[in-house]
Amino acid sequence: MSNSEATASSDLTGTGKADAAPANNPEAARLRALLEPAVQANRLYLEDVAIVAGSHRVVHVVVDLPQEETGGVSLDVIADISKVLSDVLDNDPADDGRPYDLEVSSPGVGRPLTEPRHWHRAKGRMVKVNVAQGDNVTGRIQSVDDGGVMIIPEIAVKKGMKPKQGDPVKLPFDRIRNGKVEIEFSHLSEDGLEPEHNGPSEEA
């Protein structure tokens, strides 16, 4: 039996979950393979599965929209997929019978942009880009293709003045260390970051 909790997390880093199993943990990898078909069947992408080990395990599942879609994963979608995944885990043929909590969340805008799909998902957003062998860039993502990211940079101006836009800059993926979305209040609702964004808990 499990307790499943639906959350729409704005950032899964720095949450104090130091005991979570690393991505190469065999049990986390097994559960990822078990859960992924159900996630994909619900038109979502399985971003990560992590486990806090112990007599009462916690299974953390992070789901996202496909890279071609914009916006964030809604609370209703998180709640629905939580029920689906809880049923899958309750019927896991390799389960050892220990109780567990299932926590399902979305990555949110605080996720570092480290993979091409992350950049696709952030298209149109303002980002800070950590560039290898060059100056770092802050600007808006204009487009993303197989080779890299087209950024329209923002040029710093005096305080109180409207930022100016520079000429588009193409940054190949092999020159990008990582990036981070800049929070813009106009985008909060589409990222599922409304106040009190914890979803329902239910007994599976």
Side-chain angles (χ1 to χ4, degrees):
M1 300 295 288
S2 72
N3 293 317
S4 70
E5 178 182 358
T7 62
S9 172
S10 61
D11 191 355
L12 292 185
T13 61
T15 55
K17 296 170 181 173
D19 294 332
N24 60 355
N25 178 276
E27 179 63 4
R30 187 187 72 80
L31 290 183
R32 183 185 181 99
L34 177 71
L35 298 174
E36 194 158 31
V39 173
Q40 292 177 345
N42 284 267
R43 295 184 53 77
L44 294 169
Y45 177 85
L46 182 56
E47 183 86 10
D48 190 32
V49 175
I51 302 171
V52 176
S55 58
H56 194 105
R57 299 165 295 163
V58 179
V59 180
H60 299 287
V61 178
V62 184
V63 297
D64 197 7
L65 295 178
Q67 71 175 27
E68 64 273 9
E69 296 190 26
T70 58
V73 184
S74 72
L75 292 176
D76 287 342
V77 171
I78 291 287
D80 289 344
I81 194 64
S82 295
K83 294 175 183 177
V84 171
L85 298 184
S86 180
D87 287 342
V88 173
L89 289 173
D90 283 345
N91 291 283
D92 178 5
D95 184 64
D96 59 10
R98 285 181 298 154
Y100 65 90
D101 286 332
L102 171 64
E103 296 181 357
V104 181
S105 63
S106 63
V109 296
R111 166 186 58 190
L113 308 176
T114 58
E115 301 177 14
R117 71 172 310 274
H118 297 163
W119 294 95
H120 280 280
R121 290 280 292 117
K123 192 162 58 176
R125 307 299 296 269
M126 185 67 63
V127 295
K128 282 186 176 180
V129 188
N130 187 347
V131 180
Q133 300 177 345
D135 294 332
N136 295 339
V137 177
T138 297
R140 195 171 299 279
I141 301 176
Q142 183 182 56
S143 62
V144 184
D145 58 28
D146 292 341
V149 182
M150 185 73 75
I151 301 284
I152 301 177
E154 284 212 340
I155 301 173
V157 295
K158 292 182 180 179
K159 188 175 181 180
M161 294 179 64
K162 186 177 180 180
K164 294 182 179 180
Q165 293 184 340
D167 295 329
V169 176
K170 180 64 177 287
L171 296 174
F173 284 124
D174 60 8
R175 286 188 53 208
I176 297 175
R177 288 195 177 97
N178 56 59
K180 185 176 182 180
V181 171
E182 295 283 270
I183 299 297
E184 297 177 274
F185 290 106
S186 61
H187 287 283
L188 285 180
S189 60
E190 57 184 71
D191 289 318
L193 298 180
E194 299 91 340
E196 301 299 327
H197 54 257
N198 283 337
S201 295
E202 65 179 33
E203 185 76 22

